[in-house]
Amino acid sequence: MTIDQNLIAKIAAEVMARVQARQPETASGGAGIFQTVDEAVAAARAAQKQLKKLSIEKREELIKAMRQAACDNAELLAEMGVSESGMGRVSDKVIKNRLAATKTPGTEDLKSEAWSGDRGLTLIEMGPYGVIGSITPTTNPSETVICNGIGMIAAGNAVVFSPHPTAKNTSLVTIKLLNEAIIKAGGPPNLLTAVAEPSLAATNAMMQHPDINMLVATGGPAVVKAVMSCGKKAIGAGAGNPPAVVDETADIEKAAKDIIDGCSFDNNLPCIAEKEVIVVGSVADKLMAYMQRYGAYLISGPDVDRLANVILTEKAELAAAGCTEKPKKSYAVNKNYVGKDARYILSQIGIQVPDSIRAVICETPADHPFVVEELMMPVLPVVQVKDIDAAIELAVKVEHGNRHTAIMHSKNVDNLTKLAKAIETTIFVKNAPSYAGIGVGGEGFTTFTIAGPTGEGLTSPRSFTRQRRCVLVDALSIV
């Protein structure tokens, strides 16, 4: 996929000019983009003070306007995201943008609790943190801004975003469009801010800034570790390596379709997507045959090795002192192929396929790098095991304790229960594509910040609040 950076810059400039022209005069036009971290944080702090003065009803009006703006621009932002990052599928990113806009919870998520008795009334409500620093990934550059923007403002906060530099224009345009909607709905300017040139240095400055009250990182292990080391309240949404387990009782044709639909969604960029299949051997051939019917291309033998040489890079390992054996090889994912189409990936090993091919499948041993590493591309290894107990044992092992997502296809409730208890993931999807776990074709709200490392799970507005208790003694009890 060729990335036309000039086109991206042109689109971004046109959208930003259009947004700027419609906004009242403020320090940044209200659009939220500043030259320095200090300016971005100060503007967000001022906006949050204004937001605190507004009623919950008014806050919900701002959120409604944000939802509409995100839906109205879902296609534009999807096209920008794919073109700028070189990853994913436009049609799937449109779905994700609309999902974030419509199924991210609003102020209704902030439920109060009360106790009334002989000694009076105690009330617990959820209050804002203030200004939240949100680090967003290149894999979901608009979706995470939409989702976190709605959820954090619903909780009464302002947000300073630190977008990934490889998708900065997509994220900055999203911030500007949402700010425009907020202002038009009567809200304060600059509730969402960022610096014009995101960088590692800017992210570090934001994390350490004294006026940032909370940090939320959506990304890999390194960024999650960084926010957890800052001494502030931190939510970390880290990596996953979700296994899809199939036992002999499953509807095999449906399981095959669901797995291919899930693993190929946005070219496997979502951390919830199926990353490896573990199947009971008696139904493995049938499963792979159906997978090919539903958009998978099967490779085997030397083609698997050739593909591995393309999409993986070997990491240098030093032998321990005094060790005569060669160190075991280890691998990393070649980032040039993350989020690329299956057709493009196959072309790199000389195999030409039509656009209808959505995923590459291959049978591998359990310790193959395709199984062990989170590839984040539509390449899906299939591992055969003797029975469900072996499948569960392997699924727990290759999930690496991320406690992120697991998928299972089975009609045996006991087997489903066994895997659920053993793997302890934040999301466990049964008999559906992985994306049902965030509300696509399944019930429940959505989020693009799934906090396994810090334990919040699927974040929502209440995740971005602090608990406040109000106690009134010997009064307001009418029993």
Side-chain angles (χ1 to χ4, degrees):
M1 182 183 296
T2 301
I3 306 172
D4 189 340
Q5 295 292 353
N6 290 331
L7 177 59
I8 289 298
K10 182 180 178 182
I11 293 173
E14 289 176 353
V15 174
M16 290 183 180
R18 173 168 59 85
V19 173
Q20 189 78 23
R22 295 208 300 259
Q23 291 175 344
E25 289 297 324
T26 65
S28 70
I33 312 304
F34 295 85
Q35 294 304 309
T36 69
V37 171
D38 284 341
E39 291 173 339
V41 174
R45 174 67 62 188
Q48 199 269 334
K49 288 180 179 178
Q50 295 182 58
L51 181 65
K52 285 175 63 177
K53 298 176 183 178
L54 302 180
S55 65
I56 296 293
E57 183 179 4
K58 183 62 180 180
R59 197 186 300 174
E60 194 58 43
E61 290 179 14
L62 307 185
I63 293 165
K64 181 179 179 181
M66 294 170 69
R67 296 187 196 277
Q68 188 63 54
C71 286
D72 289 347
N73 292 280
E75 292 84 359
L76 167 69
L77 296 174
E79 290 169 1
M80 285 190 70
V82 172
S83 297
E84 184 176 20
S85 68
M87 298 187 293
R89 287 178 170 267
V90 171
S91 59
D92 292 339
K93 286 194 182 296
V94 171
I95 293 171
K96 289 161 69 177
N97 284 330
R98 289 178 175 157
L99 180 72
T102 58
K103 296 194 76 171
T104 300
T107 58
E108 73 280 358
D109 193 51
L110 308 178
K111 300 183 186 302
S112 301
E113 294 181 80
W115 290 266
S116 176
D118 291 341
R119 297 309 308 269
L121 175 71
T122 293
L123 175 67
I124 290 182
E125 292 190 309
M126 312 310 292
Y129 265 85
V131 180
I132 298 176
S134 175
I135 303 170
T136 62
T138 188
T139 52
N140 296 305
S142 55
E143 303 95 318
T144 309
V145 170
I146 295 166
C147 180
N148 282 359
I150 289 173
M152 292 172 182
I153 288 176
N157 305 286
V159 192
V160 178
F161 284 103
S162 181
H164 197 285
T166 60
K168 70 173 185 178
N169 287 318
T170 307
S171 297
L172 296 183
V173 166
T174 307
I175 291 168
K176 281 179 167 281
L177 290 168
L178 295 178
N179 273 323
E180 177 196 30
I182 291 167
I183 293 168
K184 288 179 67 176
N190 302 316
L191 268 176
L192 311 175
T193 70
V195 295
E197 295 296 332
S199 65
L200 179 60
T203 298
N204 287 332
M206 182 273 287
M207 290 193 298
Q208 300 296 335
H209 200 287
D211 283 338
I212 293 291
N213 306 109
M214 180 186 197
L215 292 167
V216 178
T218 310
V223 70
V224 171
K225 182 178 179 180
V227 299
M228 292 173 66
S229 302
C230 281
K232 300 180 181 183
K233 167 65 178 177
I235 292 177
N241 193 43
V245 173
V246 183
D247 74 9
E248 67 276 14
T249 73
D251 180 334
I252 301 301
E253 180 174 2
K254 182 178 184 300
K257 183 180 187 304
D258 287 348
I259 290 169
I260 296 304
D261 286 348
C263 84
S264 65
F265 185 69
D266 207 21
N267 286 342
N268 204 252
L269 287 177
C271 288
I272 63 165
E274 294 86 345
K275 298 297 191 286
E276 62 278 332
V277 175
I278 302 167
V279 56
V280 173
S282 61
V283 294
D285 289 344
K286 185 177 180 181
L287 179 72
M288 287 188 285
Y290 275 123
M291 283 179 166
Q292 292 172 79
R293 178 181 297 184
Y294 289 107
Y297 186 90
L298 176 66
I299 61 173
S300 59
D303 285 338
V304 178
D305 294 333
R306 288 162 61 205
L307 184 63
N309 288 334
V310 169
I311 66 174
L312 298 174
T313 58
E314 190 174 334
K315 291 190 288 190
E317 296 288 340
L318 297 177
C323 180
T324 58
E325 296 182 8
K326 289 184 179 180
K328 187 175 181 180
K329 292 181 180 179
S330 62
Y331 298 87
V333 175
N334 186 336
K335 294 182 180 180
N336 292 329
Y337 296 94
V338 170
K340 294 295 192 292
D341 293 345
R343 178 183 180 184
Y344 174 79
I345 292 171
L346 285 170
S347 73
Q348 303 304 294
I349 59 170
I351 298 175
Q352 305 301 321
V353 297
D355 284 334
S356 58
I357 295 299
R358 300 267 302 190
V360 183
I361 62 172
C362 55
E363 190 172 347
T364 71
D367 61 352
H368 194 277
F370 287 179
V371 178
V372 177
E373 302 294 331
E374 185 187 21
L375 299 180
M376 295 184 72
M377 61 186 80
V379 175
L380 191 66
V382 179
V383 181
Q384 291 194 39
V385 292
K386 62 179 181 178
D387 56 30
I388 187 59
D389 290 330
I392 291 172
E393 182 180 358
L394 180 57
V396 172
K397 180 179 179 180
V398 301
E399 203 274 331
H400 302 313
N402 292 317
R403 296 189 176 181
H404 197 291
T405 299
I407 305 97
M408 185 170 182
H409 295 269
S410 172
K411 293 182 180 179
N412 186 314
V413 174
D414 290 339
N415 288 349
L416 291 164
T417 304
K418 271 200 270 188
L419 178 58
K421 287 184 176 181
I423 205 160
E424 296 184 320
T425 49
T426 301
I427 298 174
F428 183 30
V429 177
K430 281 81 75 178
N431 299 318
S434 53
Y435 49 65
I438 56 169
V440 181
E443 293 296 331
F445 68 91
T446 196
T447 184
F448 286 86
T449 298
I450 300 166
T454 51
E456 290 80 6
L458 280 75
T459 57
S460 65
R462 74 178 71 181
S463 306
F464 311 124
T465 61
R466 61 173 83 238
Q467 190 180 101
R468 301 179 66 183
R469 175 180 283 218
C470 177
V471 180
L472 185 60
V473 177
D474 295 337
L476 287 182
S477 174
I478 58 174
V479 177

